Amino acid sequence: PGKKVLIVYAHQEPKSFNGSLLKIAVEELTKQGCSVTVSDLYAMQFEPRATRNDIVGPLHNSEAFNYGVETWEAYKRGGLSKDLVEEQKKVQEADLLIFQFPLFWFNMPAILKGWMDRVLVQGFAYDLSKAYDGGLLQDKLSLFSFTTGGGQEMYSKESISGDIRYILWPMQHGIMHFCGVKVLEPHICYAPEHASEEKRKEMLTAWTQRLKTLWKEEPIDCSPEWYFK
């Protein structure tokens, strides 16, 4: 109870299966006494592109634009754009970050990737000497909850798509772990679009059940061995 959760949600349609998963998470976690904030990226018309507009005021080097350097310098002097500052504040306050999205091309949708690119800037989420276990967002948990187009059998090591963990490597290890965030077991709903009404209900029930004991879970191992074994 009293925990703070940020759900970063990337789906265009509230009536979608992702929309149902979001609704369940908000209801269940609120019922537990958590305070839940949702960043509904499509509804917010969140800008996914990392541009000069993310820096307020003069540039550190106006000769040649380097996004990483400029956002780092802007962060230090409080010169990031308002939308970024708002998202960073939500991240800073959260004990748990849940990312809810449909898998696109073995990856998160562009709008969510843009959120990662723009919000998790150097100085805020990591520093060159402070990454992975030393990342700046320690003491936070994260959970990737997503839907796939293909069935579970398509994402085994032997299948043409390969192990689902290969897909998770850049998200869980390359972004979250890099920033010091601990990672909970991903929550994957395989091919809800092709599932029966009954199977979909089962998937939603499983998510509700998992959320009830979420705070008792231990983070997964984020080493390469976990992903590639």
Side-chain angles (χ1 to χ4, degrees):
K3 298 269 194 195
K4 292 192 170 174
V5 182
L6 170 62
I7 306 177
V8 186
Y9 168 72
H11 198 290
Q12 311 89 330
E13 175 51 66
K15 295 196 287 285
S16 65
F17 195 81
N18 273 271
S20 300
L21 291 164
L22 169 71
K23 193 163 166 281
I24 285 169
V26 172
E27 284 171 8
E28 185 53 46
L29 292 165
T30 304
K31 206 187 290 177
Q32 293 175 19
C34 301
S35 80
V36 184
T37 304
V38 178
S39 283
D40 182 341
L41 301 182
Y42 285 102
M44 291 155 69
Q45 298 194 323
F46 186 81
E47 168 60 82
R49 294 170 301 178
T51 68
R52 162 74 177 89
N53 298 338
D54 293 349
I55 293 102
V56 179
L59 291 175
H60 178 68
N61 174 8
S62 52
E63 295 300 302
F65 183 72
N66 178 321
Y67 186 81
V69 170
E70 293 299 343
T71 47
W72 184 30
E73 293 295 335
Y75 177 75
K76 288 190 285 193
R77 64 174 168 81
L80 287 173
S81 61
K82 187 168 160 283
D83 60 339
L84 292 196
V85 174
E86 280 171 13
E87 294 306 300
Q88 287 176 347
K89 189 169 180 289
K90 294 176 196 173
V91 171
Q92 199 66 63
E93 289 176 355
D95 298 298
L96 167 67
L97 309 168
I98 297 178
F99 300 99
Q100 181 64 60
F101 58 96
L103 199 66
F104 285 1
W105 293 118
F106 277 30
N107 214 320
M108 57 185 94
I111 200 165
L112 178 54
K113 178 60 166 61
W115 184 94
M116 304 281 182
D117 292 349
R118 296 180 62 226
V119 175
L120 303 175
V121 304
Q122 186 175 350
F124 170 69
Y126 69 93
D127 235 319
L128 295 184
S129 61
K130 298 187 179 77
Y132 291 112
D133 292 342
L136 299 176
L137 299 179
Q138 288 171 54
D139 306 323
K140 295 186 189 302
L141 292 169
S142 62
L143 192 167
F144 286 87
S145 170
F146 60 94
T147 58
T148 67
Q152 188 162 2
E153 67 291 342
M154 278 182 69
Y155 294 100
S156 69
K157 208 168 196 168
E158 295 68 41
S159 74
I160 191 150
S161 299
D163 194 321
I164 192 79
R165 289 197 280 199
Y166 303 158
I167 293 169
L168 288 157
W169 164 254
M171 304 180 204
Q172 295 186 151
H173 178 75
I175 303 176
M176 288 296 115
H177 186 201
F178 189 83
C179 296
V181 180
K182 291 185 176 61
V183 179
L184 294 175
E185 190 74 47
H187 198 86
I188 309 164
C189 291
Y190 291 98
E193 214 175 332
H194 308 295
S196 66
E197 194 53 46
E198 194 181 345
K199 187 80 187 98
R200 281 204 291 269
K201 281 201 178 103
E202 279 172 27
M203 288 185 202
L204 295 175
T205 306
W207 180 224
T208 309
Q209 288 310 115
R210 179 171 178 196
L211 288 162
K212 287 186 194 302
T213 56
L214 197 64
W215 301 105
K216 295 193 177 83
E217 291 186 19
E218 287 297 315
I220 60 170
D221 178 4
C222 259
S223 67
E225 297 84 53
W226 184 87
Y227 291 95
F228 301 109
K229 70 178 177 200

